[in-house]
Amino acid sequence: DAGVTQSPTHLIKTRGQQVTLRCSPKSGHDTVSWYQQALGQGPQFIFQYYEEEERQRGNFPDRFSGHQFPNYSSELNVNALLLGDSALYLCASSLYIGTDSNQPQHFGDGTRLSIL
Amino acid sequence: DQQVKQNSPSLSVQEGRISILNCDYTNSMFDYFLWYKKYPAEGPTFLISISSIKDKNEDGRFTVFLNKSAKHLSLHIVPSQPGDSAVYFCAASAGGNNAGKSTFGDGTTLTVKP
């Protein structure tokens, strides 16, 4: 049973560039959420995708955008990269069960993004 | 404004003793609370959860207690084992339109000494 997989594992970019991170959810899951984890902090919610639409969004600028494909996989795009975007980006998947919040998420091992 | 706080960045306990990790929250709309464990170079792994309608949930060596009036929850690990050494994150979520959006604390690093 494949868990959440993310690619690439590490990435180095320079300021002003654009980056795309990828995520495949756990088998049987249809909802994907993205989190940013800065060093020494907890994960911060970026947004969540279900049925190929953004359903929830955290306090992140429009430079952060995403997409979900019909096979439930997802991409996170960040434009005009800033030094402060350096972080671990985590993808988490779950099965959508309506407005019931009672479910844990399954996380991938993350993509470490470094901005020079 | 951090809605979920873990005030102890680190905790060290002896093998076999109890580990108690604490978490405070400010948002009264939170109705579901989770603990995740994270090893280096791995993503967080779900450990245990509790709904706001309960005050205790137990799973083997792990017990989570919820005090809604104090907006406080704690994770007890008994007995602690060296393999429990990891970063523990407290997370909370609300239902309705915010379902699925988890708010995390900054984590507590637990070290269990043999």
Side-chain angles (χ1 to χ4, degrees), chain B residues 6 52 60 102:
Chain B
Q6 296 176 254
S52 60
S102 289

Side-chain angles (χ1 to χ4, degrees), chain A residues 62-82:
Chain A
D62 292 343
R63 299 188 296 110
F64 290 77
S65 63
H67 188 79
Q68 186 179 35
F69 299 93
N71 66 353
Y72 308 122
S73 67
S74 177
E75 288 181 351
L76 164 65
N77 301 293
V78 187
N79 295 322
L81 287 166
L82 305 173

Side-chain angles (χ1 to χ4, degrees), chain A residues 33 35 37 40-45 48 55-59 88 90 98-110, chain B residues 31-32 34 36 38 41-46 49-51 89 93-107:
Chain A
S33 300
Y35 291 83
Q37 185 179 12
Q41 297 182 15
Q44 283 200 314
F45 178 81
Q48 180 185 74
R55 298 287 177 164
Q56 292 284 336
R57 189 176 183 92
N59 188 25
L88 179 68
L90 294 163
T99 56
D100 186 346
S101 60
N102 285 356
Q103 57 169 328
Q105 293 177 308
H106 294 251
F107 283 83
D109 291 338
Chain B
D31 61 0
Y32 185 56
L34 312 94
Y36 289 88
K38 186 179 187 301
E42 294 183 11
T45 302
F46 170 71
S49 63
I50 188 167
S51 166
F89 290 101
S93 63
N97 291 333
N98 290 311
K101 175 184 175 181
S102 289
T103 301
F104 283 77
D106 286 341

